[in-house]
Amino acid sequence: MSGMDVDDSTGEPTGAAARRTAAFFDLDKTIIATSSAFAFGKEFLNNGMITRQEAVEIYMTKASYMLMGLSSERMDSTRDYMAQLVTGWAVDDIDRVTTETMRTVVTPAIYAEARELIGFHKRHGRDVIIISASADILVEPIARELGVDMIVATELEVVDGKLTGNVTRFLKGDAKADAVTEFAESHGYDLAGSYAYSDSATDIPMLGMVGHPVAVNPDRALRKHAQEHGWEVRTFKNPEPLIQMPNAREVGIGAGVVAGVTALAAAGIWVAQRIAKDNRSA
């Protein structure tokens, strides 16, 4: 590498020797401290797009996801549930609700560390791509908020401006790795010099595609894999992930039901803590 110009801050080639690189970011629990698929539940309820019962189910699923994450099988079942839920929704209505409520629903949940990293990669000339299993109609407004121009996300079929309930592309696991390969081929990226960030073991195939894989707030399986393979592990803390349960006024259901939902979430926390304790003792 004699005579090659190198960036002092990154150690990577510059000038004629440099090749185009990218930074691929998972979205949920990596860029934002919540789930984009469930974040707008209250707003969809307020706009008459879901029922009170569906709102409670969304909150319960969100609580479970925030506590325990989602296995590959549970991701599939959640995909099917959400696809059925949004069947018949007008895309314009979704865009209006997400745009109007973005600053109060999602913006406060964006990790400051993720914002800083996105800015860092942009300053060093890398393309930033959000790659998510969430639906593209939910990812796009979040990407705009972050100043990210490129996304790859789960695609839902639209006919006459309405969602049909059919998922035409589900971006999970190997599908994310395939998307990274497609981007590299179409944009001329040097994957060996590129970065990828995720919190979930389901994204190990994607992380393994790049030269700089980073596990962010990783689940147990990803943390173990990262440690075994010498991958960087980062902890994002600002903001702290919060599980906010609905109150009776917001959801319009009895206080007893809300208490039951809260109790179930608390039980989930207790179980998660016991599992973690048992794992540490093993």
Side-chain angles (χ1 to χ4, degrees):
M1 296 182 65
S2 176
M4 180 181 292
D5 293 330
V6 175
D7 188 316
D8 292 335
S9 63
T10 65
E12 295 179 0
T14 61
R19 290 184 59 193
R20 193 175 183 187
T21 57
F24 298 90
F25 284 82
D26 174 49
L27 180 59
D28 298 347
K29 297 170 75 173
T30 301
I31 291 179
I32 59 175
T34 186
S35 163
S36 54
F38 308 126
F40 295 98
K42 176 185 171 184
E43 311 309 325
F44 291 145
L45 172 67
N46 291 341
N47 282 269
M49 299 169 72
I50 59 175
T51 66
R52 296 169 183 173
Q53 178 61 37
E54 288 167 341
V56 172
E57 291 173 357
I58 287 175
Y59 273 104
M60 286 297 296
T61 305
K62 177 183 176 181
S64 175
Y65 168 71
M66 295 302 295
L67 288 167
M68 305 295 290
L70 292 179
S71 65
S72 179
E73 293 76 14
R74 290 183 65 197
M75 286 183 70
D76 290 341
S77 62
T78 300
R79 170 203 61 196
D80 295 340
Y81 170 74
M82 295 301 291
Q84 182 274 328
L85 180 69
V86 303
T87 298
W89 286 16
V91 173
D92 287 346
D93 288 341
I94 299 171
D95 186 63
R96 173 181 55 79
V97 171
T98 55
T99 300
E100 290 177 353
T101 62
M102 173 64 59
R103 294 298 177 91
T104 57
V105 173
V106 173
T107 301
I110 295 174
Y111 284 117
E113 298 93 335
R115 277 193 186 274
E116 292 169 3
L117 266 177
I118 289 171
F120 169 83
H121 287 300
K122 284 186 171 183
R123 289 193 300 273
H124 286 84
R126 298 186 191 97
D127 289 343
V128 175
I129 301 101
I130 294 177
I131 184 164
S132 175
S134 293
D136 51 5
I137 54 176
L138 298 178
V139 178
E140 287 171 354
I142 299 173
R144 289 197 297 268
E145 171 70 12
L146 289 162
V148 174
D149 297 326
M150 291 185 283
I151 71 163
V152 190
T154 291
E155 298 173 3
L156 307 179
E157 183 181 52
V158 178
V159 175
D160 296 330
K162 294 185 177 181
L163 300 177
T164 67
N166 293 327
V167 179
T168 57
R169 186 185 192 187
F170 186 38
L171 219 66
K172 180 197 76 170
D174 289 336
K176 278 193 177 182
D178 292 341
V180 169
T181 299
E182 292 171 7
F183 253 86
E185 292 176 350
S186 62
H187 292 77
Y189 295 142
D190 173 19
L191 289 181
S194 294
Y195 294 71
Y197 301 84
S198 180
D199 70 290
S200 174
T202 60
D203 286 339
I204 287 174
M206 175 190 75
L207 293 168
M209 296 293 297
V210 301
H212 303 282
V214 182
V216 175
N217 298 343
D219 58 28
R220 184 179 177 223
L222 177 55
R223 182 178 295 276
K224 182 175 183 291
H225 187 92
Q227 291 171 342
E228 290 175 347
H229 291 78
W231 292 358
E232 182 180 357
V233 176
R234 291 196 179 201
T235 301
F236 290 174
K237 296 182 178 180
N238 183 20
E240 289 286 346
L242 298 176
I243 301 174
Q244 296 180 335
M245 303 309 296
N247 58 43
R249 182 177 180 181
E250 289 176 332
V251 182
I253 59 178
V257 175
V258 174
V261 171
T262 305
L264 285 172
I269 295 172
W270 180 83
V271 170
Q273 291 173 336
R274 285 299 301 271
I275 291 173
K277 181 178 179 181
D278 291 344
N279 287 337
R280 288 194 298 268
S281 301

